[in-house]
Amino acid sequence: MEATLRWILITAIAPVAWGTNYFVTHAYLPADHPLYGAAIRALPAGLLLLAVRRERPHGPWWWKSLVLGALNMGGFFALIYVAAQLLPTSTASTVMAASPLVMMLIAWALLAERPRLLPLAGAVVGLGGVCLMLLTGTASIDVRGVLASVAAMLMSSLGYVLAKRWGAEVDVLASTAWQLIAGGLLLLPLAALVEGAPPALDVPAALGFGYVTVVATALAFAAWFGGLRHLPAATVGLVGLLNPVTGVLLGTLIAGESLTLRQLCGLALVLAGILLGRPVVRRRVRVASAIKAARPSTPVRPPASPRRPK
C-alpha cells in the first residue's frame, strides 16, 4: 500500500506540471507557432534526459520510439499549444480530463485490463465535474481550441497505453528521452515548412520555454511513465484529473479568470472522482473484507489446562 501511494504521488507531479503549462504557454510563449513551440519543448527535454541516461534505442525501439514520439510528444505538444493559445487556461485543461475513460477503454482492448467498478465510477464522476466546469464558464469557448484538446487527449491516451505495453523492455528515462527526441525531430521539418523561420524569443518567452522544457516536460513525463510502469492505466488516468484542477486554480488565482459556483462544484466532483477510484481505497476494502471473512463466527475458547493431581 505504501509503495502504491508513493507511485501515485510521483505520478501526480506530471498532471500538476501540465496544468501549469497551459498558463505559461498562454501568457509567455509566442502565439501562432505551435509546431516550433512543440519542437522547442520536446527536443531539449529529450536531450536532457538522454544526458542523464546515456542509452541508445535498440532493436524494435527504433520504430517504437517514432510511434510513441509522434503520439505522446509531436502531435500532442502541437495540439496542446494550439489549445492553450485559443482557450482560457481553465477551459483548455479541463477537456483533457476525459482521458481516464478513454485510457480505461484502450487499456481494456490492448492490455486486457478490465475496468473495475470504482475507477470507472471515479472517471464518470470526474468527467461530470469537467463538463460542469467547461459548459458553465463565463468566458467564450473557441471550438477550434476544444477540438485541438480533444484530438490531443485521444492521441495521448493511445500513446500512454502503448508506452505501458512496451515500456517493460527498457529503462523509463531512456524510453522517455527517445520519445521526446523522436517527436521533436518529426516536428522540426514540418515547422520549417509550415511556419517558416523560428519565432524570435524575448526574455520572458525564453524563461517560459525553460520552465516548460525542464519541469513540464522532462520531469513530468519521467514521473508519468514511471507511474505507468508501476500502476494500472486506469489509476494513472485518474491521477491525470489533477491537470484540470491545476489549470482551473491557476487560471483563477493568477490569470484572473472568473470561477462560478457551478465550476466550483465541478472542481469538487473532479477531486471526488480521483479519491473514489484510487487503488488505496480498493485495497483497504479488500483487506477489510479478508479480515472479516477470516474471523471465526463463534469465539474459540482455549483448551483448559490439565489439573495437577493433588
Side-chain angles (χ1 to χ4, degrees), residues 139-291:
S140 60
I141 297 176
D142 193 317
V143 177
R144 296 172 299 169
V146 174
L147 292 176
S149 291
V150 171
M153 180 269 297
L154 295 174
M155 185 177 294
S156 61
S157 296
L158 174 60
Y160 295 154
V161 175
L162 286 177
K164 179 175 178 60
R165 181 175 181 177
W166 296 336
E169 307 170 6
V170 293
D171 179 79
V172 172
L173 290 181
S175 64
T176 305
W178 303 338
Q179 294 178 57
L180 287 166
I181 293 174
L185 292 177
L186 289 173
L187 284 166
L188 272 182
L190 187 60
L193 180 63
V194 175
E195 299 176 357
L201 302 180
D202 54 11
V203 174
L207 293 176
F209 270 121
Y211 172 82
V212 168
T213 296
V214 177
V215 178
T217 305
L219 176 62
F221 275 96
W224 184 256
F225 288 127
L228 279 171
R229 184 73 59 89
H230 294 86
L231 298 170
T235 301
V236 176
L238 283 171
V239 175
L241 290 173
L242 291 173
N243 184 338
V245 172
T246 306
V248 168
L249 292 178
L250 280 179
T252 304
L253 299 177
I254 298 179
E257 299 171 6
S258 59
L259 190 64
T260 66
L261 179 60
R262 289 185 178 181
Q263 286 179 302
L264 283 173
C265 294
L267 190 62
L269 284 177
V270 171
L271 294 175
I274 297 174
L275 295 176
L276 181 63
R278 60 179 182 156
V280 177
V281 173
R282 299 201 308 272
R283 284 194 178 185
R284 286 176 178 173
V285 172
R286 289 199 298 266
V287 170
S289 301
I291 293 175

